[in-house]
Amino acid sequence: MNISLIIPFFNEEDQVDNTLDIVIPILESVTPFYEIIAVDDGSKDRTWFILSNRAQDNPNIHAIRFSRNFGKEAAICAGLDHVGGDLAILMDGDLQHPPQYIPQMVRLWEEGYDIVEGVKKSRGKEKPFYHFMATSFYKIFTKLSGVDMANASDFKLLDRKVIDAWKALDEKNTFFRGLAAWLGFKKTTIEFEVAPRTHGKSKWSLTGLWRLSVNAITSFSSVPLVFITWGGLLFFFLALIIGIITLVRFFSGTAVEGFTTVILLLLIIGGAIMMSLGLIGTYISKIYDEVKGRPRYLKMTELNPRPFDKLR
Ligand code: UDP
Ligand code: MG
């Protein structure tokens, strides 16, 4: 059994050594045939320096450095693209996904499960604002896409065949958590308690999270587009009623005054049109991205590619 462990790192200089020190003995307790695919997602601190040193000492560490920050989703994709093992485990680099669960996940894989999903027992300690945003996002996402993921996480074990299936999809704008649910296969879950971050702070910026959320929803649902049609119909109806009222007033000679109505109408309809255009634009830009067919990430440096070849 060969295990590939995928870990994305972005500006995690305080965390890299610590994470690797904890993870390696755990992997070694399961099998000597492991690789760690560590992806440096364009860090600006010493993350790559530390990571490349570790890779020089340990041939099992396959280190990949992106040319810039492409985002966690891209780092996960890069990891999956390079998996050499029979199974891969995805884990955050900040130990919020407790690596102690890895042996248990592997045991479930041995029992024949293709996907083992880590499910958050609770969301861990979060800032109230972040918690509110995250929970409302998942509520909306579940409503729109029909895929319930409120406590889903990227802490996952995937069998080789799941990874091959995932690689065969050539979508560029993905939301990994949702896609894993979409893929199907024989699935089970384990519950884990989200550990507090020991070093550094969360690497998500508000804009980064916003982009991820919009991407996630538009990748999985075109319901927002349907809303526009409904909204349009509603406004058409209102316009009809107000139009009739105005005409009646006009002919009965009690007209004019109505500047308020005009202004309100302009504002409401103008707003609705702008919102709708923005929404359509989002979908079009996604089509544009897919059509361009640009790679999801660019590698700048790579150390110890294909560690398993050397192990055999
Ligand atoms: N990460 C990444 N690229 C990014 C943002 C985050 O590779 O642009 C990595 C980060 O280094 C960490 C993992 O993704 O290993 C989870 O990030 P973080 O802990 O900041 O997210 P949170 O736990 O707050 O959801
Ligand atoms: Mg984290």
Side-chain angles (χ1 to χ4, degrees), residues 242-256:
I242 295 173
I244 291 171
I245 294 174
T246 323
L247 278 178
V248 170
R249 279 202 175 161
F250 179 77
F251 285 117
S252 60
T254 53
V256 188

Side-chain angles (χ1 to χ4, degrees), residues 92 94 96 197:
D92 276 2
D94 57 4
Q96 287 198 288
R197 221 176 208 284

Side-chain angles (χ1 to χ4, degrees), residues 17 28 50 78 82 87 105 117-118 152 156 180 187 217 273 295:
D17 268 325
E28 279 170 347
I50 299 165
H82 292 84
L87 65 112
M105 293 170 104
E117 288 187 291
K156 282 190 169 53
K187 225 180 288 182
I217 290 177
I273 289 175

Side-chain angles (χ1 to χ4, degrees), residues 139-197:
K139 266 191 208 132
I140 296 173
F141 187 90
T142 309
K143 272 260 153 53
L144 293 185
S145 66
V147 183
D148 182 10
M149 299 193 313
N151 289 312
S153 70
D154 287 329
F155 191 27
K156 282 190 169 53
L157 178 149
L158 304 173
D159 183 83
R160 185 76 216 201
K161 57 177 176 288
V162 179
I163 298 167
D164 290 340
W166 141 276
K167 281 203 275 190
L169 309 169
D170 43 24
E171 265 174 83
K172 293 287 182 304
N173 287 305
T174 51
F175 180 52
F176 182 74
R177 247 165 276 177
L179 212 61
W182 178 89
L183 280 167
F185 289 93
K186 200 164 170 234
K187 225 180 288 182
T188 186
T189 54
I190 57 161
E191 281 201 328
F192 72 93
E193 203 71 65
V194 179
R197 221 176 208 284

Side-chain angles (χ1 to χ4, degrees), residues 8-10 12 41 69 71-72 92-94 96 130 197 202-204:
F9 291 106
F10 175 54
E12 301 277 10
D41 183 12
N69 181 238
K72 185 185 174 189
D92 276 2
D94 57 4
Q96 287 198 288
Y130 180 89
R197 221 176 208 284
S202 180
K203 296 298 176 293
W204 288 107

Side-chain angles (χ1 to χ4, degrees), residues 30 47 68 76 183:
V30 179
T47 302
R68 63 167 169 88
I76 291 177
L183 280 167

Side-chain angles (χ1 to χ4, degrees), residues 98-131:
Q100 304 80 274
Y101 287 91
I102 291 175
Q104 196 185 335
M105 293 170 104
V106 175
R107 232 170 293 133
L108 287 166
W109 175 81
E110 284 171 328
E111 284 170 24
Y113 288 103
D114 299 319
I115 301 180
V116 183
E117 288 187 291
V119 177
K120 295 172 193 161
K121 224 182 266 175
S122 63
R123 296 194 51 95
K125 274 212 177 65
E126 287 172 331
K127 287 204 194 97
F129 175 71
Y130 180 89
H131 182 84

